[in-house]
Amino acid sequence: MMRIGRSAALVAAGAIALTACGGSGGDEDSGAAASGKPRIKLVINGGLGDKSFFDSAYEGLKKAEKDLGYELKVVELGSDRTKWEPGFEDAASADDYDILAAGTFEVTDYIGELAPQFPDKKFWLFDAPVDYTGKNGTCSNKCENVYSVTFKQNEGGYLAGFLAEKLVAEKSLKGAESQKKVGVMPGVKIPVIEDFVVGFKAGFKEAGGRNSDVLVQYVGGDKPFGDPAKGKEISTAMYGQGAALVWPVAGLSGLGTFESAVSAERYTFGVDSDQYQTLTDQAQKDTVVTSILKNVGNALYKAAQDDRKDSLKYGAVDTVGLADDAVGYVDDDHFKELVPEKTRTELQEAADKVKSGSVTVPSAF
């Protein structure tokens, strides 16, 4: 566990190599404070450019900067995990923010340690909660200055599985009509990622499929969410085993899936963000049937709205899903070109049942 003393608090935020995007550092930070605008610092245990999870968070906070009068600074810590702890220490010690935002299960202990040491600051944790009980040795103040938001990604996974089975059963995907299997490529086997897989299998089965036709292989390794080469290797193997489409749930590693799909002349689902829009290679874009959205940016924008109204609930976790527009799927012209109207109607009906509560999606939690 980290401990920050008086000397650490005096260490400059630039003590390690960090990349800042948006906002500014140095002497201009005091100017930001003088402006009266609330300052958000987004600290990323990785980097922007994943065209998925972190990019969604960034876009939501950029919108808050534009619409709500915040000032945004981004710190990218990179994929070297040895730099994450000192990076969070430096980011929290610097007096250039009012709100420090961070995400993923991998940083919960960092935030749980830091928040009590900076009680005059606010912390937002997305996609995982801190331990508000303090039983695991963090959150000595019960993290009363931390807002956590988690997502019902199992509901998004359910829709992905439902749609995948319908497309395969009805032979709707041009060039892949003879393929009977589908693939899911998660980054690592932990509850928040496994939640996607559990939901996917439930939706696939509900649509009439067999779980034996769902191929699952984890990226794993030192960079489960940052290894496109391994993502491509795994996806290529899945297509070779008869997968009509592969759904990567693995951050940057998923970029390898889109490359593989082009070579195999097969299909993909995007994840977290609208990857048909965020990918730049047209051939890769064309493989994306839809994207299953985890609207991190929407959740952070709403948090920013509520914080401006002094109505954001700190010291607690908020859980959002399909009914909150925090999870969903992309229904655009490209989607309509690839998915028959009958299937689109059935998918919407499945989503409505989840929203209404008439269908309860199983979870890994």
Side-chain angles (χ1 to χ4, degrees):
M1 298 295 184
M2 67 178 75
R3 291 289 186 272
I4 299 179
R6 181 178 298 272
S7 59
L10 296 175
V11 176
I16 63 173
L18 305 178
T19 302
C21 305
S24 56
D27 293 339
E28 294 184 19
D29 290 326
S30 60
S35 73
K37 294 182 177 180
R39 301 163 298 167
I40 300 176
K41 180 188 285 187
L42 173 61
V43 183
I44 298 175
N45 52 311
L48 293 174
D50 63 0
K51 304 187 185 301
S52 180
F53 182 80
F54 284 126
D55 283 0
S56 175
Y58 174 67
E59 290 302 322
L61 292 179
K62 283 294 291 182
K63 180 174 171 61
E65 181 178 46
K66 177 182 177 182
D67 296 349
L68 306 174
Y70 287 87
E71 292 192 1
L72 175 64
K73 179 175 184 177
V74 180
V75 176
E76 300 175 71
L77 300 179
S79 60
D80 184 348
R81 293 166 182 265
T82 65
K83 294 183 178 180
W84 289 359
E85 183 171 335
F88 273 95
E89 289 178 354
D90 287 344
S93 299
D95 190 22
D96 60 353
Y97 71 98
D98 302 295
I99 299 163
L100 190 152
T104 80
F105 69 98
E106 295 172 300
V107 306
T108 55
D109 283 354
Y110 299 153
I111 300 302
E113 284 284 337
L114 291 166
Q117 298 180 50
F118 298 93
D120 58 329
K121 303 294 187 181
K122 298 175 181 178
F123 294 81
W124 295 353
L125 180 59
F126 52 93
D127 207 34
V130 291
D131 178 18
Y132 289 102
T133 69
K135 292 180 179 179
N136 72 349
T138 62
C139 291
S140 59
N141 69 340
K142 302 297 178 68
C143 284
E144 59 189 17
N145 55 334
V146 180
Y147 166 74
S148 299
V149 59
T150 63
F151 299 83
K152 297 177 182 178
Q153 52 275 318
N154 59 322
E155 295 182 348
Y158 179 87
L159 298 184
F162 186 95
L163 175 61
E165 163 57 16
K166 289 293 183 181
L167 292 172
V168 170
E170 296 169 10
K171 304 182 185 303
S172 300
L173 296 174
K174 185 178 179 181
E177 294 91 345
S178 64
Q179 310 307 319
K180 298 179 180 180
K181 297 183 182 294
V182 297
V184 183
M185 188 185 74
V188 67
K189 193 171 186 177
I190 48 92
V192 70
I193 300 299
E194 193 67 6
D195 216 28
F196 285 100
V197 181
V198 170
F200 185 97
K201 288 182 175 180
F204 194 82
K205 183 177 180 180
E206 177 64 26
R210 301 178 303 172
N211 282 344
S212 59
D213 286 331
V214 180
L215 307 174
V216 179
Q217 185 171 344
Y218 299 83
V219 178
D222 296 332
K223 300 185 295 181
F225 300 98
D227 194 341
K230 190 170 182 182
K232 182 176 182 179
E233 176 185 333
I234 291 171
S235 301
T236 298
M238 287 182 170
Y239 290 128
Q241 294 173 61
L245 62 87
V246 174
W247 184 34
V249 188
L252 279 169
S253 298
L255 297 182
T257 299
F258 303 111
E259 291 184 38
S260 178
V262 173
S263 299
E265 297 183 338
R266 303 283 174 80
Y267 296 87
T268 63
F269 289 164
V271 69
D272 292 341
S273 296
D274 182 353
Q275 294 194 280
Y276 181 79
Q277 294 297 329
T278 59
L279 291 168
T280 56
D281 182 275
Q282 187 60 51
Q284 293 181 25
K285 288 163 69 80
D286 289 342
T287 71
V288 181
V289 178
T290 187
S291 291
I292 304 303
L293 302 175
K294 180 186 283 190
N295 291 320
V296 178
N298 287 3
L300 292 178
Y301 184 79
K302 184 177 185 303
Q305 288 179 310
D306 291 346
D307 193 69
R308 284 297 255 172
K309 295 183 289 188
D310 293 323
S311 61
L312 190 64
K313 295 180 180 179
Y314 288 89
V317 58
D318 192 14
T319 301
V320 292
L322 268 172
D324 310 286
D325 194 31
V327 177
Y329 64 95
V330 174
D331 182 358
D332 58 8
D333 289 341
H334 181 67
F335 176 73
K336 291 180 174 65
E337 290 174 7
L338 295 178
V339 181
E341 182 178 1
K342 177 177 178 290
T343 302
R344 299 198 307 269
T345 299
E346 291 171 332
L347 180 63
Q348 184 58 59
E349 290 172 349
D352 290 341
K353 289 177 181 179
V354 174
K355 288 180 182 180
S356 69
S358 63
V359 168
T360 300
V361 181
S363 174
F365 287 95

